[in-house]
């Protein structure tokens, strides 16, 4: 048990709590006048309580304790991702959820954190030669299995997050830049084959629409409608916004999944540029604190976990905000600590608990 809190990262905790309050307010507004989302706000509060409990629990546990459980954790994550392809519930075109009766569970969300732990343990055990091709290929297999299973759901956005996690952790582990070049060249024909033979037409349309919504979807049927409504909402907010719970598009429920995927657009409309910018500032500080913990971590295992968590959060922020502003393809990726969604909310808060565990144990002698 850690007997001192001198190394506890209070700025990180403060930012997370502010973001959770920010998110709760926006989820309330986004679900206020939609009869189909009645009860979502109360569920969101329950998710926050459970997530905060997980954060507190993981803070008190020495993160090294998870090394002994890496293999069963990883295999369990892979098994659940395989199970969801068999018995999963289909929603928004993706078979990503397991129905638990009263609630649904999305295995790909905790799988992100478990893959981070697996990669951190793998690279820390190969710390002396992380750029050995056998080690690099082994890491690609570790991340590749869950990525493929997620892609088959199909959930392109989450598969992209796994790729971002691997890239950041590979850089932190010591994989050489020229090796990334070789892997990129090798991936080009695979990407071309995937584009022409694996992706469905609607998936290709989503990837193209963000380049020019009206050109690739002149009838506003394949997803350009979502982008146009999102841009209209953000633009109409002006500097200070229309006021919380007073957005015309948000309260008229013109945006699909506005309590999750397009919650940034709701923020822009109701709180304006200043509110949206303040939100991004706190998200940026949170990610910066994760990276600062990676710098002070006492070993490679802790350092790589922190880098992986920072990459996961950063990817979610860039993709979610990017798709709301039509500079990224539209994918179902929530905004950390802001969007409604139990599985990801709990995973994100558990990740913060891991970060605090690493910070608390930065010294080999803590008391």
């Amino acid at each position: 048990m850690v007997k001192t809190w001198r190394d506890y990262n209070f700025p990180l905790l403060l930012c997370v709590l502010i973001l959770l309050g920010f998110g709760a307010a926006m989820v309330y507004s986004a679900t206020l006048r939609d009869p189909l989302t009645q009860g979502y706000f109360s569920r969101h509060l329950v998710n926050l309580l459970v997530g905060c409990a997980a954060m507190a629990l993981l803070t008190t546990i020495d993160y090294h304790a998870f090394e002994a459980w890496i293999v069963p954790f990883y295999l369990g994550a892979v098994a659940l991702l395989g199970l969801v392809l068999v018995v999963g519930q289909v929603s928004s075109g993706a078979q990503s959820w397991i129905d638990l009766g009263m609630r649904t569970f999305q295995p790909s969300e905790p799988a992100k954190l478990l893959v981070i732990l697996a990669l951190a343990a793998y690279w820390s055990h190969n710390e002396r030669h992380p750029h050995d091709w056998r080690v690099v290929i082994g890491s690609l297999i570790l991340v590749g299995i869950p990525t493929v299973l997620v892609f088959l759901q199909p959930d392109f956005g989450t598969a992209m997050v796994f790729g971002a996690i691997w890239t950041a952790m590979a850089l932190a582990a010591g994989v050489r830049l020229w090796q990334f070049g070789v892997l990129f060249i090798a991936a080009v024909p695979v990407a071309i084959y995937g584009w022409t033979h694996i992706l469905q037409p609607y998936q290709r349309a989503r990837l193209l629409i963000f380049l020019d919504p009206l050109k690739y979807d002149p009838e506003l049927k394949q997803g350009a409608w979502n982008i146009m409504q999102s841009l209209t909402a953000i633009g109409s907010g002006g500097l200070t916004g229309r006021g919380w719970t007073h957005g015309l598009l948000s309260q008229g429920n013109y945006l699909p999944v506005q309590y999750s995927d397009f919650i940034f657009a709701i923020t822009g409309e109701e709180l304006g540029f200043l509110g949206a910018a303040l939100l991004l500032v706190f998200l940026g500080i949170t990610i910066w604190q994760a990276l600062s913990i990676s710098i002070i971590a006492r070993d490679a295992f802790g350092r790589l976990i922190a880098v992986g968590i920072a990459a996961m959060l950063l990817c979610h922020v860039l993709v979610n905000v990017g798709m709301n502003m039509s500079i990224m393809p539209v994918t179902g990726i929530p905004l950390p600590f802001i969007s409604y969604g139990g599985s990801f909310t709990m995973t994100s808060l558990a990740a913060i608990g891991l970060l605090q565990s690493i910070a608390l144990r930065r010294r080999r002698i803590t008391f």
Side-chain angles (χ1 to χ4, degrees), residues 295-311:
I295 294 173
I296 66 173
R298 79 185 203 195
D299 54 23
F301 184 52
R303 175 171 58 85
L304 290 169
I305 291 174
V307 169
I309 291 173

Side-chain angles (χ1 to χ4, degrees), residues 125-149:
H125 291 158
N126 294 280
E127 189 175 2
R128 294 183 179 180
H129 42 84
H131 45 75
D132 186 298
W133 275 112
R134 290 171 297 181
V135 175
V136 174
I137 297 302
S139 69
L140 286 171
I141 293 173
L142 276 177
V143 75
I145 295 173
T147 301
V148 170
L149 291 173

Side-chain angles (χ1 to χ4, degrees), residues 110-127:
K112 296 171 187 173
L113 193 54
L114 296 176
V115 166
I116 289 172
L117 287 169
L119 287 172
Y122 177 79
W123 264 312
S124 64
H125 291 158
N126 294 280
E127 189 175 2

Side-chain angles (χ1 to χ4, degrees), residues 274-351:
L274 293 180
L278 187 63
L279 170 63
L280 292 178
V281 167
F282 281 112
L283 285 169
I285 294 174
T286 300
I287 296 168
W288 171 52
Q289 289 299 319
L291 291 174
S292 70
I293 290 174
S294 74
I295 294 173
I296 66 173
R298 79 185 203 195
D299 54 23
F301 184 52
R303 175 171 58 85
L304 290 169
I305 291 174
V307 169
I309 291 173
M312 177 184 74
L313 296 177
L314 178 61
C315 185
H316 270 266
V317 171
L318 292 179
V319 174
N320 181 277
V321 174
M323 75 175 185
N324 275 252
M325 299 180 67
S326 190
I327 56 177
M328 291 288 286
V330 175
T331 57
I333 287 188
L335 192 59
F337 313 113
I338 306 299
S339 295
Y340 171 86
S343 299
F344 182 64
T345 297
M346 296 176 195
T347 298
S348 299
L349 289 171

Side-chain angles (χ1 to χ4, degrees), residues 34 42 103 110 115 174 184 194 208 231 268 301 311 326 343 346 348 353 366:
D34 186 352
S42 59
R103 303 294 294 269
V115 166
F184 176 79
L208 289 172
L231 291 174
F301 184 52
S326 190
S343 299
M346 296 176 195
S348 299
T366 56

